[in-house]
Amino acid sequence: MANEVKPGSETIGAAGPKSKMTLFKDDRAEDIGAIIVTVIVVAIIVLLKMK
Amino acid sequence: MSNESPGFFRQLPSALPGLALIIITMVVIRNWIEPWMAVTKVFGMQKPLTDAFHLNYILIGIIFGLLYRNVLFGGRMPEIFSNGFKLSRLMIKTGIIMLGSLYTFSAIVQLGSMAIFLIGGFVILTIIMVLWLGKVFGLDRSMTGVLANALSICGVSAAVATSPAVEAKASHVAYAIATILGFGILTMFISPFIGHTLGLTDLQYGAWIGTGILNSGQVLAAALAFNPNVAPGTAVSVAEIWNIMRVISIPFAVFAVTVWYWAGKTEIEGGKQKSLGTLLVEKFPVFVIGFMVMVLFTSMGAFGSVGLKGGLPPSETIKTLRLVMQWIFGFGLVGLGGYIDFKELRQAGGAPLKLGLIVGVTKYVLALVVVLLIKDSLVSI
């Protein structure tokens, strides 16, 4: 067995998906998720402040 | 073996209880606990919690997360709250992308050029030191490779990113992560105290912890614990540029350690060593692109005045963005605290722990010394 660690499986001492420290499938998906959330939050703030 | 887990959106409803716990915790801390700390008197001392121990909503939030997991829930996050706490890194990354609204491109170039110099030097020196000490302590090459990147770049992410390239076992990664997180938790709490005691400026402090602390979340926590304000020139604005520079170097460091690992093997198993190009495509942290786009919009004036030193005051949009960022970081760091498990930290031990502590302490102290030596050359934004 070479390795079972997946990106995103960052909980200490546990390499499997059960203890992943993210709801995303890996780090890359989480990064994209963060970009999408940012776009939504920033868009809401800009719209609210637009008078 | 299938490692497939249900998709993000299918798991999202189950994350709501944990998310609610995180949000309620931070609302209670910011509205009641922090104001109480600011006026309370203990043993005749006025405001000792804020003035002497430099506690603020960030550190209190992490402590709450820690207590939930390790005391209230007996070492394991209950199923009902588990998925909500898994959103903590998403929140931290979202906050970091939004931090792009603190900078213009010229400020990034000013800070970034200093950061490249310090980060680059420390990453290379740390890798060399770990590889040498790994040999001295007789550590397994896979373990040494994982520790080299865990201690030189970005803690947990680097350890995980390096592990497949150096054929590391799960136990290697667990040892490395337990070591660096244990050390990082300590530095996260003592750094603000040291910074205030030495009278460091936000710029000096941000440069120091951005270089000396190993884990992204801990850099963020230590910066906000020193100064909870989110604005250009504050500790978090400096530390995060250092942090971004370090995160960007992950694929390069993974490549360097992979080359070292395979060069030392007598029989090369075909196809296992990846090229730098492949590693860049696979491992580049794309949230950094989001951060740079945010900087681009800010530089173009899309959100109004940023409030840089000597310029116009920040616009209402920028002020709201910063307020929202403070809350998002607060939520993310309560979640981070909930992922610190003392039982798992006890896995650290033996030679990997010794090596980790020697290198971690050296880097932490040396970074402070270097920052103090070059303090007059550090450029403020």
Side-chain angles (χ1 to χ4, degrees), chain B residues 11 66 89 91 93 122 124 134 136 157 190-191 288 353:
Chain B
Q11 294 184 85
L66 264 166
R89 288 195 328 167
M91 292 188 250
K93 284 179 179 173
F122 269 83
I124 293 166
V136 171
S157 302
I190 63 167
S191 300
V288 172
L353 178 65

Side-chain angles (χ1 to χ4, degrees), chain A residues 11 17-24, chain B residues 11-22 68-69 73 75-89 91 334-336 338-339:
Chain A
T11 312
K18 198 179 166 194
S19 297
K20 277 201 312 181
M21 198 179 157
T22 177
L23 284 188
F24 294 87
Chain B
Q11 294 184 85
L12 200 52
S14 64
L16 295 179
L19 194 59
L21 178 63
I22 288 174
Y68 284 152
R69 185 181 193 106
F73 301 137
R76 193 174 184 279
M77 202 53 82
E79 207 64 40
I80 188 169
F81 296 129
S82 175
N83 277 354
F85 275 72
K86 286 179 181 175
L87 292 173
S88 57
R89 288 195 328 167
M91 292 188 250
V334 171
L336 183 85
Y339 263 93

Side-chain angles (χ1 to χ4, degrees), chain B residues 15 25 48 51 103 110-111 145 164 169 207 213 221 299 309 327 332 345 347 372 374:
Chain B
T25 302
D51 289 0
Y103 316 91
Q110 278 182 345
L111 279 175
K169 294 176 189 151
I213 294 184
S299 301
K309 211 167 56 182
W327 281 98
L345 287 177
Q347 290 185 56
L372 289 176
I374 62 163

Side-chain angles (χ1 to χ4, degrees), chain B residues 96-116:
Chain B
I96 292 174
I97 295 170
M98 288 175 71
L99 270 181
S101 67
L102 297 189
Y103 316 91
T104 58
F105 267 112
S106 60
I108 288 275
V109 171
Q110 278 182 345
L111 279 175
S113 51
M114 283 189 298
I116 284 175

Side-chain angles (χ1 to χ4, degrees), chain B residues 277-356:
Chain B
T278 310
L279 284 169
L280 274 173
V281 171
E282 283 182 2
K283 308 288 182 198
F284 188 84
V286 296
F287 77 94
V288 172
I289 296 170
F291 172 86
M292 294 311 293
V293 171
M294 197 73 183
V295 175
L296 176 69
F297 278 117
T298 308
S299 301
M300 287 162 51
F303 310 121
S305 169
V306 186
L308 287 175
K309 211 167 56 182
L312 292 168
S315 68
E316 284 304 311
T317 306
I318 287 282
K319 278 197 230 170
T320 311
L321 274 171
R322 287 174 192 165
L323 183 67
V324 171
M325 262 185 265
Q326 287 185 344
W327 281 98
I328 289 179
F329 282 140
F331 299 148
L333 291 169
V334 171
L336 183 85
Y339 263 93
I340 298 170
D341 188 335
F342 290 141
K343 282 202 304 289
E344 290 178 341
L345 287 177
R346 283 191 215 121
Q347 290 185 56
L353 178 65
K354 259 192 260 174
L355 188 152

